[in-house]
Amino acid sequence: MPKPIRHGDDSRLEISVINDLWYKNAVIYCLSVATFMDSDGDGVGDFKGLMKRLDYLQGLGITALWLMPFQPSPGRDGGYDITDYYNVDPQYGTLGDFVEFAHACKQRGIRVLIDLVVNHTSDQHPWFRDARRSSNSKYRDWYVWSKKLPKHSKDGVVFPGVQRSTWTRDEVSKLWYFHRFYEFQPDLNTSNPEVQAEILKIIGFWIQLGVSGFRMDAVPFVIATKGPEVAQPKERYEMLRELREFLSWRQGDAIFLAEANVLPDTDLEYFGRDGERLHTMFNFQANQALFYALATADSRPLVKALTATKPRPATAQWGQFLRNHDELDLGRLTDRQRQAVFNAFAPNPDMHLYGRGIRRRLAPMLNGDRRRLELSYSLMMTLPGTPVIRYGDEIGMGDDLSLPERQCARTPMQWSSEPHGGFSTNKRCIVKVISGGAYGYEQVNVAEQRRDTNSLLNWMERIIRMRKEVPEIGWGDFEVLETGKSDVLAIRYDWRGNSVLTVHNLSAKPCEVTLNVGVQGRDCIDLVNLLSTDHSTSDRSGDHRILLEPYGYRWYRVGGLGNIMNQSAV
Ligand code: NOJ
């Protein structure tokens, strides 16, 4: 048997798969239709509005969109409480609008990923309403019930402080039902073959309408055993292969991007040892260590996280991100480390959430400091994997802490200094647009930043462009280089005879590092700066002396000036 191919060792992959495995060098942008652009003035974003902004997104350079749930929903958990998997919430448009949108994306070379929320439904879903009505219901066994309150009902609560239990009494059926999340989100019984078949049908439906894959919600819970007797849920990883197989039959280049905040020793269970399960997972391990690094200028836990998450099959990919629509979950850090991040980025208790995280947006966490914003984005985009950007972060949008829980970081996109940020003409918006102060739409908006060549938006456009031209990061193997300083992180990527070096100074002080790039067989190695003209040539011993300003960062390609482009990407 040939040995399974590992990431970074793709010499046995045919050259053409570089294009097939598009997610290995993609730039993903996440948005919610509800808060992106309102076309009809009802105060709610919609597909027609989003379509008007596709040229903006194409110009920004992103290659894939991830849409948060837009299916019919009472909207009690940002749409993650669905009542119909086969439709579009009328507030956002129709299925016809979705298809038009999918087509418009295709014309621009932008792929569409949508959320697949199948761990649970809304309690208003017709399946659940039917299931609770009668023990003879076809749907009774689609959910997870108990006659008595189970012993472990207080365990595994996902939203501590808000959610009290994982079991709630249903007065209609006179039974208790299981809900991993809020009580209005009853868990589907995912071991029921009928439920499994329905999940495949949902996947098939949206694939047929033009999506390139799914951001799969709450994967560890989808595959976990559930029931009143289950004290320690067990993951049924094989389900992932079955889902993958079906997805690939329907569309070969479609992917799963998994939300699975798990420990590194189970990563290969999720990817599959031969890459036969999930294509991509968010790297929560690196995300938390990244924020620790930004807060303390100590890169060591980040290096540890990168090393721990290094093993993966050749076709698998990490999704690297800074903030998303949820709280910044710091639950995997030690208490001391978490406290250090709280101290730096969330000094007030109302900035914390669920006892483990921070509910703020990135820019206010960094006090709007442009140098730190660039450093954070540069770092995130050069971690092994594919970057995932949250809408509004490209212009440094802020948060509204007067809104409850995670809502505070889900305010409408700020397009211009027109009323309501140009998001809507209606003064009653689905969520209040941030107005006034340093992050109000009057100050922070797309239109202003477009005109300003030095804006964060224009910087973001350039860095995204460069990130796409450095496939070594998405495809290559990496090595963390010795810098002798824990506040400077240097990573070299190697792929198909090309090498790229990225260097980040996490600290507020300037510094000089001596680096040996460690590429064998070359005496004097040039480092070509990909972002400025500040190149570097090594001394006779092969060392480079690199001077970094506070929060400075460098992207170099190893080799002569002519080597500005990767030589082997096709
Ligand atoms: C994870 C989603 O990211 C989050 O927003 C949601 O509340 C839960 N899953 C429940 O669907």
Side-chain angles (χ1 to χ4, degrees), residues 110-126:
I110 297 175
R111 291 179 182 265
V112 179
L113 305 174
I114 67 168
D115 246 287
L116 181 66
V117 189
V118 290
N119 177 65
H120 47 268
T121 65
S122 159
D123 62 357
Q124 300 306 307
H125 195 295

Side-chain angles (χ1 to χ4, degrees), residues 194-448:
E194 287 179 18
V195 171
Q196 292 175 359
E198 191 74 28
I199 294 174
L200 299 185
K201 204 161 145 189
I202 295 166
I203 292 173
F205 178 82
W206 290 103
I207 284 291
Q208 203 68 25
L209 294 191
V211 309
S212 289
F214 301 87
R215 179 268 188 190
M216 198 171 162
D217 190 55
V219 176
F221 300 144
V222 174
I223 63 172
T225 48
K226 309 177 188 190
E229 306 306 329
V230 178
Q232 278 294 325
K234 270 186 84 71
E235 289 81 12
R236 292 154 303 161
Y237 296 112
E238 203 44 21
M239 273 178 73
L240 300 176
R241 187 186 56 80
E242 292 161 11
L243 290 169
R244 163 71 173 265
E245 254 178 30
F246 178 81
L247 181 70
S248 304
W249 288 333
R250 287 293 165 99
Q251 189 171 298
D253 63 353
I255 67 159
F256 287 121
L257 164 60
E259 185 211 18
N261 184 350
V262 294
L263 290 170
D265 58 2
T266 55
D267 287 348
L268 288 184
E269 300 286 7
Y270 285 87
F271 285 135
R273 282 172 199 281
D274 295 331
E276 75 280 15
R277 293 176 185 165
L278 301 170
H279 307 75
T280 308
M281 288 207 281
F282 289 107
N283 195 330
F284 282 94
Q285 207 74 25
N287 175 257
Q288 312 192 15
L290 168 57
F291 272 94
Y292 177 76
L294 295 171
T296 63
D298 179 1
S299 66
R300 287 169 301 180
L302 178 56
V303 171
K304 210 165 139 200
L306 297 181
T307 312
T309 55
K310 190 168 181 173
R312 62 181 144 119
T315 54
Q317 183 66 311
W318 285 115
Q320 301 288 4
F321 64 108
L322 283 160
R323 289 290 288 114
N324 61 19
H325 62 291
D326 290 327
E327 81 286 4
L328 164 63
D329 185 344
L330 302 170
R332 302 247 179 246
L333 298 181
T334 64
D335 291 349
R336 188 191 57 76
Q337 290 171 337
R338 189 178 320 107
Q339 195 53 49
V341 184
F342 281 160
N343 293 345
F345 297 145
N348 302 335
D350 73 335
M351 298 167 174
H352 301 178
L353 199 56
Y354 312 135
R356 60 169 181 246
I358 298 178
R359 63 192 195 113
R360 307 180 81 190
R361 273 238 192 206
L362 182 71
M365 276 201 254
L366 301 175
N367 271 326
D369 184 332
R370 175 68 181 268
R371 297 168 309 169
R372 298 186 87 180
L373 282 166
E374 286 188 21
L375 173 84
S376 309
Y377 261 103
S378 167
L379 192 51
M380 181 276 264
M381 288 208 195
T382 56
L383 293 183
T386 287
V388 184
I389 301 169
R390 170 121 175 97
Y391 81 90
D393 278 3
E394 73 271 31
I395 52 170
M397 263 172 59
D399 45 49
D400 178 353
L401 293 175
S402 70
L403 296 172
E405 286 185 74
R406 295 161 290 161
Q407 298 271 3
C408 62
R410 299 176 177 182
T411 59
M413 182 69 177
Q414 296 171 195
W415 293 106
S416 70
S417 56
E418 286 168 321
H420 326 300
F423 160 71
S424 174
T425 50
N426 196 316
K427 61 174 185 289
R428 297 176 80 85
C429 292
I430 180 164
V431 185
K432 206 160 57 99
V433 182
I434 296 181
S435 169
Y439 299 97
Y441 68 83
E442 301 86 347
Q443 297 294 325
V444 177
N445 66 63
V446 171
E448 293 287 328

